[in-house]
Amino acid sequence: MQTKHSASPLRIGTRGSALALAQAHETRDRLMRAHGLAEDAFEIVVIKTSGDRIQDRPLSEVGGKGLFTKEIEAAMLEGGIDIAVHSSKDMPTVLPEGLDLVAFLPREDVRDAFISHKAARLQDLPHGAVVGSSSLRRQAMIKRLRPDIDVVMYRGNVQTRLQKLADGVVDATLLAHAGLKRLGLGEVVTSVIGTDEFLPAVGQGAICIEARVDDARTRDLLAAIHHAETETCLVAERAFLRVLDGSCRTPIGGLARLVEGELRFAGLILTPDGRTQHETTRVGAPADAEAIGRDAGAELKRRGGPGFFSG
């Protein structure tokens, strides 16, 4: 396939963590196979983000999800990179003008993984155990299931969190199963938590690729690796989150699946202490994904009422 990238490499922007790099390499490798291109047709450009630099505070206190994307998006708008590879769950629901999510890779396992040297499951941890998590969703769900457990803020990349666990800083942690599998670390998982027990974050397990709206050639290149089913599910989930104004400050779970030609959606909001929750489900046509997500979000926003997340 002859593209502008035949002469100059397609520049792939990414964060520098091992997981982010694994996702960028997966994207590159899929493009190489799809178009018969050599590795030198691509350049992986590592960009340090605010979210990577700030390790001592919860993201909810310093700006939320955009901290993992804004520097990368700025580089794309300035022409420094051609595409950006992200974890979908890190993406704000509103993107900068001129940028769009133009491709999704086939989704990995959406579930959360429980990792501990002290117990086989979260339910089996001893009374007063300490669990580390940086996710408000996971924190609230842990407290809902085990209000006696002490949940502490736990920042850092996957390797850092696993090392803290090995050092005994915490008794257990929860991480996305998809990320561990992409890193070849599946063997560290003690048990995998079903989605009926822990509804995942919106976009969990899905890699998305962002590009400039006006870059038709790059969009055409990406079309060959785009997974339409993942996009349909993410359209519903992101519409749900957008209605709730979801950010790192709100414990929200949302999951859409395509089952026998139907879109099945489940959504959940919780108070940070896990004591109060509202859930909803929807079944509809895949073509109505955005409306389904919006409708579910509106229902939970109404049921939660004003000030729900500050409780």
Side-chain angles (χ1 to χ4, degrees):
M1 179 174 179
Q2 292 300 307
T3 72
K4 66 174 181 176
H5 310 300
S6 301
S8 58
L10 180 81
R11 297 161 301 171
I12 302 172
T14 177
R15 294 166 59 199
S17 71
L19 179 56
L21 289 169
Q23 294 180 162
H25 289 145
E26 180 178 342
T27 302
R28 180 198 65 192
D29 294 348
R30 286 177 180 271
L31 285 167
M32 286 168 59
R33 289 195 299 270
H35 297 293
L37 295 169
E39 194 173 306
D40 63 7
F42 304 90
E43 178 188 355
I44 292 180
V45 180
V46 173
I47 298 169
K48 189 141 189 166
T49 69
S50 304
D52 296 312
R53 284 192 291 268
I54 300 168
Q55 294 290 328
D56 59 341
R57 285 163 286 166
L59 293 181
S60 55
E61 294 180 4
V62 287
K65 292 186 178 193
L67 294 174
F68 285 129
T69 60
K70 64 180 183 179
E71 285 91 352
I72 296 173
E73 290 173 330
M76 189 150 42
L77 288 168
E78 292 162 5
I81 57 174
D82 300 299
I83 66 172
V85 178
H86 305 283
S87 295
S88 294
K89 70 177 181 178
D90 289 340
M91 294 303 292
T93 55
V94 178
L95 302 180
E97 188 174 351
L99 301 181
D100 197 10
L101 300 183
V102 301
F104 293 88
L105 301 188
R107 198 171 197 174
E108 246 291 359
D109 194 328
V110 301
R111 297 173 295 174
D112 287 310
F114 173 75
I115 307 167
S116 177
H117 307 300
K118 303 278 182 74
R121 303 178 306 153
L122 182 64
Q123 295 93 318
D124 301 331
L125 281 169
H127 181 83
V130 178
V131 179
S133 176
S134 62
S135 157
L136 286 190
R137 173 189 61 88
R138 290 182 183 133
Q139 290 174 10
M141 289 182 171
I142 291 165
K143 291 172 184 174
R144 176 184 66 173
L145 188 67
R146 289 288 306 272
D148 63 299
I149 281 178
D150 185 18
V151 185
V152 299
M153 198 270 285
Y154 200 59
R155 292 289 314 283
N157 62 34
V158 170
Q159 287 81 358
T160 300
R161 296 185 204 193
L162 291 175
Q163 188 58 53
K164 286 181 182 177
L165 178 66
D167 292 343
V169 175
V170 295
D171 298 311
T173 189
L174 274 66
L175 295 170
H177 197 208
L180 292 167
K181 289 172 76 174
R182 288 191 175 111
L183 286 169
L185 293 172
E187 76 281 355
V188 307
V189 176
T190 307
S191 58
V192 182
I193 304 174
T195 58
D196 55 336
E197 198 166 27
F198 267 52
L199 204 60
V202 162
Q204 187 155 308
I207 295 170
C208 63
I209 306 167
E210 191 177 21
R212 289 183 291 274
V213 171
D214 61 2
D215 189 351
R217 289 182 178 177
T218 294
R219 293 168 70 100
D220 287 346
L221 196 71
L222 291 169
I225 64 168
H226 174 58
H227 192 250
E229 288 188 7
T230 298
E231 179 186 32
T232 298
C233 294
L234 267 288
V235 164
E237 292 175 23
R238 287 174 60 78
F240 169 74
L241 194 62
R242 194 177 303 117
V243 169
L244 291 166
D245 192 29
S247 71
C248 290
R249 292 180 293 278
T250 51
I252 295 171
L255 177 64
R257 286 194 173 108
L258 291 176
V259 182
E260 297 177 350
E262 292 181 324
L263 182 75
R264 300 183 184 179
F265 178 81
L268 166 73
I269 58 174
L270 305 97
T271 49
D273 61 12
R275 291 178 182 171
T276 305
Q277 66 180 52
H278 298 287
E279 300 175 80
T280 191
T281 59
R282 295 286 187 284
V283 178
D288 297 330
E290 185 163 353
I292 288 168
R294 268 202 320 266
D295 187 60
E299 179 197 333
L300 292 190
K301 190 170 189 177
R302 187 171 62 250
R303 286 170 59 189
F308 178 83
F309 293 113
S310 61

